[in-house]
């Protein structure tokens, strides 16, 4: 068993040294200022945490109570006042969390310039933590929005297996899912992981179909993965990075095989602090220091060794202390991380402004004020000031600054050096639709391409289709299904199809709703024109018959058949023919009421006349019997009253129908998908069938009476013609009912018109044409003798 050796730093890191120099520059600037903390000088202590959590905790405790060496058992070091008013650091998130947890209960402000883990915003766990760099909560969301904006919905993810990577990727994944982005894989590793684990990650990348890799890695982890990718010849991927490496020239320099060319990511906005660059590059002033750390810095910076150095190598030159920095190019002379140095600068000034406020500084400061860490922390949280460069510095309730990022693109120059080109901005303080601004035309993508790489699991679904999820696969993997009839999608990658409004229907491509064609029986179409012609023909024929009857009104055949009822019947037939025209054309409120009322009343008038003529025939026969006086009970006056009475019943029915629930124009969307049927709704079905039923009742009564009188012994017995006409009438209207119910759209109207015309023609032809035939072609039979003759053969049997 051996006691483990204490943790030691093995090499000098120039980046850490630069952060320390930035702090020294801010402190010297404040100490030389007459406006800020006049008469007060700030001091400092610097410790190297070496990126180690345990060492970070140790040096934090040392800064808190001066307990660098093991304390005497008789002292209580934690009871001493804090040795510092605030701690600047740590650089990485995980050590920062550990340090914050230790010093949090003592309310010592810890201000980090580079720790971005969103977990540090939790004030219940890290009450004294503040930072001058935005939280990864915003960076992760910004990365997800950037990926979505560039059209990538199928990406891979690699993260550092530490608080920075795990928390950052968790927020990115959550936001990506909300934006419809899927992760094909999400893997983590740490720089000390065995090679087998790194190779497994490379195999996952090679087997993937996504072409974009989103990273939450530090430059150290990035270097490990890049070297392994080169060994396996894996190139051509579009890399998306965070502020940890996207603008770091050291990360660009280590990518000697140009695997990261075209990378894009978020960076802290560029900054310039007048005098800081010159201060940091003025290394001669460091030569005057006798501190061991400066000796190590000088030896590494100029790759030489001092004589007194124990580790001097034989092939290294001797340091003189007067070396010239002009020809040196390394990570120390590189100022690409000036935004991070500026964060250190702002952190120091935040502490100074808080002290300025606490000490009540005006021309002088009250140096007798007892300082305590809690008061300093409270004032830093509320501080709001502007730097000499004009940037406003403040912290929100979580100790975070406002989130602003530049979008950086790696573009290879002609001499093979990577140029960090700003191609956009992200500002979380703006409205959601204006936060992200990307100039796509300025971007050079992976493999020096001018075209945005395509990284999707499924091709975009064009308008007219919708996404159909593939079973067992993420939501980004789908089939494109054509929208059903009556539904459309007018955007790319639509999740659902939208049903058109009732008056519209989908076009052939299913990407737009077009107004349905309104269908009704019109005069312009062939069917409407033919029915109109038939109606007018019937009207004309009726007029011709009326003219013939009027011309020969004194002849026996006209006088013998009740001429007044005949003319009234001809008039009603004319109305029947004409009322069919009201069924043609676009339905309106008045036409719907008129067509049904006119149809019902005119047909009842017509049937009433026929019924009157039938009764006259029967009464006339009865009147020839000895002792009969029947005709005096059914003379001309009674005949007219009967017609009027039968018609008035129908008029009452129609009035009640029109008052209670009249027919009205109706748009029928259900009969045809792609058409609107303009029709007249019945309003009250009872009213409609009452009108038809009354007509049918009269027709059946007329048919029955005429059938009884068909064999009466007159030479010209009108009953047989009435019987035949009523037979046709009843047949037409009995077949009308199923035909009307089953006919679609305008054809139901055509069936109704056809029934009106057919029954009207039946009455006209059966009752009047035989008489016109005798009047015009057989005038010898149009005599009283022939009409009253007995024993002769009936010509119409």
């Amino acid at each position: 068993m051996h006691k483990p050796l204490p943790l030691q730093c093995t090499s000098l890191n120039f980046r850490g040294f630069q952060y320390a120099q930035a702090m020294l520059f801010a402190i010297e600037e404040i100490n030389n200022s007459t406006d800020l903390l006049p008469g007060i000088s700030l001091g400092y202590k610097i410790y190297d945490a070496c990126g180690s959590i345990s060492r970070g905790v140790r040096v934090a405790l040392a800064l808190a109570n001066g307990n660098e060496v093991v304390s005497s058992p008789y002292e209580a070091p934690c009871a001493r006042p804090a040795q510092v008013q605030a701690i600047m650091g740590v650089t990485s998130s995980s050590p920062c969390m550990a340090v914050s947890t230790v010093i949090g209960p003592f309310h010592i402000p810890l201000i980090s310039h580079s720790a971005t883990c969103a977990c540090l915003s939790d004030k219940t766990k890290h009450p004294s933590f503040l930072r001058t760099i935005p939280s990864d909560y915003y960076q992760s969301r910004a990365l997800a929005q950037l990926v979505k904006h560039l059209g990538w919905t199928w990406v891979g993810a690699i993260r550092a297996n530490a608080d920075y990577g795990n928390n950052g990727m968790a927020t990115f994944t959550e936001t990506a899912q909300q934006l419809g982005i899927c992760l094909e894989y999400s893997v983590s590793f740490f720089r000390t992981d065995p090679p087998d684990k790194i190779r497994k990650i490379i195999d996952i990348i090679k087997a993937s179909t996504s072409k974009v890799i989103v990273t939450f890695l530090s430059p150290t982890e990035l270097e490990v993965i890049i070297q392994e990718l080169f060994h396996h010849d894996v190139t051509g991927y579009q890399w998306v990075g965070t502020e940890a490496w996207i603008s770091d020239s050291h990360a660009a320099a280590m990518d000697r095989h140009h695997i990261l060319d075209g990378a894009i990511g978020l960076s802290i906005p560029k900054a310039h602090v007048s005098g800081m660059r010159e201060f940091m590059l003025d290394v001669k002033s460091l030569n005057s220091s006798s501190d061991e750390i400066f000796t190590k810095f000088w030896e590494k910076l100029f790759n030489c060794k001092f004589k007194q150095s124990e580790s001097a190598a034989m092939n290294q030159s001797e340091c003189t202390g007067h070396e010239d920095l002009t020809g040196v190019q390394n990570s120390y002379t590189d100022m690409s991380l000036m935004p991070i140095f500026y964060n250190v600068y702002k952190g120091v000034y935040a502490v100074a402004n808080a002290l300025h406020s606490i000490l009540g500084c005006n021309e002088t400061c009250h140096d007798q004020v007892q300082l305590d860490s809690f008061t300093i922390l409270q004032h830093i949280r509320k501080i709001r000031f502007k730097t000499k460069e004009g940037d406003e510095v403040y912290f929100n309730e979580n100790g975070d600054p406002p989130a602003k990022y530049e979008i950086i693109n790696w573009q290879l120059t002609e001499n093979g050096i990577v140029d960090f080109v700003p191609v956009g901005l992200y500002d979380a303080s703006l409205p959601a639709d204006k936060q992200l601004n990307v100039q796509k035309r300025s971007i050079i993508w992976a493999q020096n391409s001018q075209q945005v790489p395509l990284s999707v699991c499924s091709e975009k679904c064009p308008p007219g289709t919708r996404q159909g999820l593939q079973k067992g696969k993420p939501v980004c993997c789908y089939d494109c299904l054509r929208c059903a009839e009556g539904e459309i999608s007018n955007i790319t990658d639509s999740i659902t199809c939208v049903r058109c409004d009732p008056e519209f229907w989908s076009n052939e491509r299913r990407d737009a709703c077009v107004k349905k064609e309104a269908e009704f029986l019109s005069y312009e179409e062939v069917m409407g024109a033919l029915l109109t012609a038939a109606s007018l023909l019937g009207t004309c024929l009726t007029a011709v018959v009326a003219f013939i009857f009027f011309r020969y009104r004194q002849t026996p055949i006209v006088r013998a058949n009740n001429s007044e009822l005949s003319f009234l019947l001809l008039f009603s037939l004319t109305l029947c023919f004409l009322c069919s025209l009201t069924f043609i054309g676009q339905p309106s409120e008045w036409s719907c009421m008129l067509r049904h009322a006119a149809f019902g009343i005119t047909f009842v008038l017509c049937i009433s006349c026929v019924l009157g003529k039938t009764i006259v025939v029967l009464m006339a026969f009865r009147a020839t019997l000895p002792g009969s006086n029947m005709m005096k009970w059914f003379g001309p006056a009674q005949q007219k009253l009967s017609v009027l009475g039968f018609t008035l019943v129908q008029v009452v029915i129609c009035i009640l129908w029109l008052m209670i629930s009249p027919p009205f124009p109706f748009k029928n969307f259900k009969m045809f998908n792609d058409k609107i049927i303009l029709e007249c709704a019945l309003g009250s079905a009872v009213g409609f069938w009452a009108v038809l039923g009354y007509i049918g009742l009269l027709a059946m009564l007329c048919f029955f009476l005429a059938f009884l009188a068909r064999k009466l012994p007159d030479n010209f017995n009108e009953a047989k013609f009435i019987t035949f006409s009523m037979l046709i009438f009843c047949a037409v209207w009995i077949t009308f009912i199923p035909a009307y119910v089953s006919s679609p759209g305008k054809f139901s109207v055509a069936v109704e018109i056809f029934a009106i015309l057919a029954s009207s023609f039946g009455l006209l032809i059966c009752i009047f044409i035989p008489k016109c035939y005798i009047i015009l072609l057989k005038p010898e039979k149009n005599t009283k003798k022939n009409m009253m003759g007995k024993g002769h053969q009936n010509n119409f049997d």
Side-chain angles (χ1 to χ4, degrees):
M1 296 291 290
H2 298 281
K3 183 179 179 180
L5 295 174
L7 183 69
Q8 293 183 346
C9 299
T10 57
S11 63
L12 180 70
N13 182 276
F14 279 139
R15 288 300 186 207
F17 199 83
Q18 284 176 318
Y19 298 147
Q21 286 288 88
M23 184 185 75
L24 293 178
F25 171 75
I27 289 174
E28 287 198 15
E29 194 174 77
I30 293 168
N31 290 341
N32 293 328
S33 170
T34 57
D35 296 325
L36 189 62
L37 292 176
I40 299 292
S41 294
L42 296 178
Y44 59 87
K45 287 186 177 182
I46 300 176
Y47 289 87
D48 189 0
C50 299
S52 166
I53 294 176
S54 59
R55 190 174 177 87
V57 171
R58 179 180 176 185
V59 299
L61 289 173
L63 286 170
N65 56 26
N67 190 27
E68 297 98 323
V69 188
V70 177
S71 302
S72 167
Y74 303 104
E75 284 192 52
C78 291
R80 299 177 187 173
Q83 299 297 303
V84 293
Q85 272 68 49
I87 298 176
M88 309 304 300
V90 186
T91 301
S92 301
S93 293
S94 292
C96 210
M97 290 177 66
V99 171
S100 175
T101 303
V102 170
I103 66 172
F106 304 106
H107 307 294
I108 301 173
L110 174 67
I111 306 177
S112 175
H113 53 277
S114 184
T116 58
C117 180
C119 53
L120 288 163
S121 297
D122 186 352
K123 295 299 102 179
T124 59
K125 295 180 180 179
H126 308 284
S128 67
F129 177 80
L130 305 102
R131 53 184 156 197
T132 52
I133 190 169
S135 163
D136 274 341
Y137 171 80
Y138 300 102
Q139 180 173 216
S140 300
R141 295 174 65 84
L143 274 183
Q145 291 182 39
L146 176 64
V147 170
K148 180 65 176 180
H149 180 78
L150 296 173
W152 301 326
T153 58
W154 188 238
V155 301
I158 306 176
R159 68 186 186 277
N161 191 14
D163 295 299
Y164 166 72
N166 292 331
N167 285 279
M169 190 57 71
T171 304
F172 172 83
T173 303
E174 180 184 354
T175 308
Q177 288 177 348
Q178 295 172 358
L179 296 176
I181 301 168
C182 300
L183 270 63
E184 185 179 12
Y185 59 87
S186 181
V187 294
S188 65
F189 76 100
F190 199 66
R191 59 181 178 268
T192 57
D193 283 345
D196 286 347
K197 185 173 182 179
I198 307 298
R199 280 194 293 270
K200 285 181 180 178
I201 293 175
I202 302 303
D203 292 338
I204 291 172
I205 295 174
K206 289 169 67 177
S208 67
T209 58
S210 57
K211 296 300 179 184
V212 174
I213 301 176
V214 180
T215 64
F216 267 86
L217 300 172
S218 69
T220 310
E221 278 91 19
L222 184 68
E223 184 174 12
V224 173
I225 204 75
I226 290 302
Q227 293 300 325
E228 199 67 29
L229 286 169
F230 170 70
H231 291 317
H232 289 83
D233 194 26
V234 180
T235 59
Y237 288 89
Q238 177 65 48
W239 292 78
V240 180
T242 59
E243 44 71 35
W245 63 268
I246 197 66
S247 58
D248 191 344
S249 58
H250 175 67
M254 74 185 180
D255 183 29
R256 296 181 295 274
H257 310 294
H258 302 290
I259 291 174
L260 301 177
D261 286 357
I264 189 170
L266 302 178
S267 172
I268 305 303
K270 288 182 179 178
H272 172 73
V273 185
S274 56
M276 182 180 285
R277 178 186 177 88
E278 293 75 13
F279 179 87
M280 296 176 72
L281 295 180
D282 184 15
V283 295
K284 291 188 181 297
S285 62
L286 301 176
N287 189 25
S288 60
S289 173
S290 59
D291 198 317
E292 180 184 353
I293 191 171
F294 295 129
T295 300
K296 291 182 178 180
F297 162 75
W298 198 270
E299 290 178 343
K300 185 173 182 180
L301 181 64
F302 295 103
N303 194 23
C304 62
K305 291 292 179 181
F306 286 101
K307 283 184 178 180
Q308 66 270 27
S309 176
E310 298 178 359
S311 60
M314 295 296 293
N315 58 347
Q316 282 185 313
S317 60
E318 182 181 341
C319 295
T320 64
H322 300 285
E323 283 78 8
D324 186 11
L325 190 65
T326 307
V328 177
Q329 285 189 350
N330 56 24
S331 58
Y332 184 79
T333 59
D334 169 52
M335 293 292 157
S336 61
L337 292 187
M338 182 59 74
I340 307 299
F341 307 154
Y342 189 32
N343 285 343
V344 178
Y345 177 88
K346 289 189 287 187
V348 175
Y349 263 85
V351 175
N353 275 274
L355 291 173
H356 187 90
S357 175
I358 295 170
L359 298 175
C361 298
N362 192 0
E363 293 182 359
T364 58
C365 296
H366 303 290
D367 53 3
Q368 300 302 314
V369 176
Q370 182 66 40
L371 294 175
D372 66 276
S373 56
F374 182 75
T375 303
I376 296 172
L377 176 62
Q378 293 299 105
H379 277 75
I380 294 176
R381 283 178 177 174
K382 297 176 182 178
I383 206 73
R384 197 179 191 105
F385 66 94
K386 283 190 176 181
T387 66
K388 65 179 180 180
E389 309 302 332
D391 295 321
E392 191 172 25
V393 179
Y394 63 93
F395 303 97
N396 64 14
E397 65 276 6
N398 296 321
D400 298 328
K404 292 183 180 180
Y405 298 97
E406 271 187 337
I407 300 171
I408 299 296
N409 178 222
W410 282 26
Q411 297 184 9
L412 202 62
T413 59
E414 294 180 356
N415 57 7
I417 298 175
V418 172
D419 188 14
F420 305 123
V421 180
V423 292
L425 277 172
Y426 178 85
D427 188 347
S429 64
L430 296 176
D433 58 336
K434 297 180 180 179
Q435 290 178 350
L436 185 65
N437 181 21
V438 184
Q439 302 166 2
K440 290 185 181 180
R441 294 182 179 178
S442 305
I443 301 175
I444 303 296
W445 305 99
Q447 297 179 315
N448 201 32
S449 173
Q450 301 289 332
Q451 296 294 325
V452 182
L454 184 65
S455 187
V456 294
C457 182
S458 300
E459 292 293 330
K460 291 182 178 294
C461 288
T465 63
R466 67 172 178 85
Q467 296 177 359
L469 296 181
Q470 296 177 356
K471 189 174 182 180
K473 291 189 177 181
V475 293
C476 298
C477 303
Y478 48 79
D479 298 315
C480 295
L481 306 178
R482 193 164 187 249
C483 291
E485 288 187 347
E487 296 181 346
I488 65 157
S489 66
N490 55 8
I491 58 172
T492 302
D493 273 345
S494 177
I495 300 174
T496 59
C497 294
V498 180
R499 179 160 291 279
C500 295
D501 290 335
E503 294 193 21
F504 293 83
W505 194 247
S506 56
N507 60 359
E508 184 63 28
R509 295 191 301 273
R510 307 284 202 273
D511 59 358
C513 289
V514 294
K515 197 169 182 63
K516 290 181 180 179
E517 179 186 352
E519 185 178 83
F520 57 90
L521 188 60
S522 67
Y523 294 101
E524 288 78 14
E525 59 185 297
V526 175
M527 185 166 56
L530 289 175
L531 292 171
T532 302
S535 176
L536 296 176
L537 176 63
T539 304
C540 292
L541 285 176
T542 307
V544 170
V545 171
F547 175 76
I548 293 172
F549 266 53
F550 183 77
R551 174 70 176 78
Y552 295 97
R553 63 186 180 279
Q554 300 299 331
T555 60
I557 196 170
V558 175
R559 296 182 66 185
N561 286 280
N562 201 327
S563 60
E564 289 184 356
L565 286 181
S566 295
F567 283 116
L568 189 56
L569 178 57
L570 287 170
F571 172 71
S572 64
L573 282 173
T574 303
L575 294 180
C576 288
F577 281 118
L578 291 177
C579 83
S580 64
L581 298 178
T582 62
F583 288 83
I584 304 175
Q586 183 172 342
S588 65
E589 188 174 347
W590 285 104
S591 68
C592 286
M593 291 191 290
L594 176 62
R595 66 173 59 171
H596 289 96
F599 156 70
I601 294 171
T602 55
F603 261 83
V604 165
L605 179 61
C606 184
I607 299 300
S608 298
C609 293
V610 176
L611 183 59
K613 292 173 75 66
T614 307
I615 295 173
V616 168
V617 172
L618 287 172
M619 294 299 105
F621 173 72
R622 291 288 181 184
T624 60
L625 298 177
S628 175
N629 58 352
M630 292 293 293
M631 284 305 297
K632 75 176 183 179
W633 297 105
F634 202 74
Q638 287 82 3
Q639 295 168 23
K640 294 173 186 175
L641 286 173
S642 67
V643 171
L644 180 61
F646 287 133
T647 307
L648 278 176
V649 174
Q650 186 73 305
V651 170
V652 171
I653 294 174
C654 289
I655 289 174
L656 290 173
W657 182 15
L658 296 180
M659 288 179 62
I660 297 172
S661 181
F664 58 91
F666 174 69
K667 294 179 179 179
N668 190 334
F669 300 111
K670 296 181 179 179
M671 188 167 291
F672 295 103
N673 288 330
D674 55 346
K675 294 179 182 178
I676 302 175
I677 305 301
L678 302 182
E679 59 187 16
C680 286
L682 296 177
S684 170
V686 174
F688 175 73
W689 292 110
V691 168
L692 277 186
Y694 184 65
I695 294 172
L697 178 64
L698 292 182
M700 294 299 292
L701 178 61
C702 187
F703 173 74
F704 177 72
L705 294 177
F707 182 78
L708 293 178
R710 74 190 188 287
K711 295 294 186 180
L712 295 180
D714 281 342
N715 227 11
F716 189 79
N717 185 1
E718 199 175 19
K720 58 176 64 97
F721 303 116
I722 293 175
T723 302
F724 192 60
S725 67
M726 286 297 102
L727 186 62
I728 294 173
F729 185 91
C730 292
V732 167
W733 285 100
I734 288 172
T735 56
F736 157 77
I737 295 174
Y740 177 81
V741 172
S742 61
S743 297
K746 62 184 178 181
F747 296 101
S748 63
V749 180
V751 167
E752 192 168 358
I753 296 173
F754 178 79
I756 294 171
L757 294 178
S759 55
S760 300
F761 273 112
L763 290 171
L764 179 65
I765 293 170
C766 291
I767 295 176
F768 293 100
I769 294 304
K771 299 174 184 178
C772 291
Y773 171 76
I774 292 175
I775 292 171
L776 298 177
L777 301 178
K778 298 288 184 179
E780 67 275 9
K781 292 186 177 182
N782 191 5
T783 62
K784 187 174 182 180
K785 180 181 179 182
N786 188 65
M787 294 295 297
M788 301 299 295
K790 296 182 181 179
H792 297 282
Q793 185 178 357
N794 195 330
N795 293 306
F796 297 94
D797 286 342

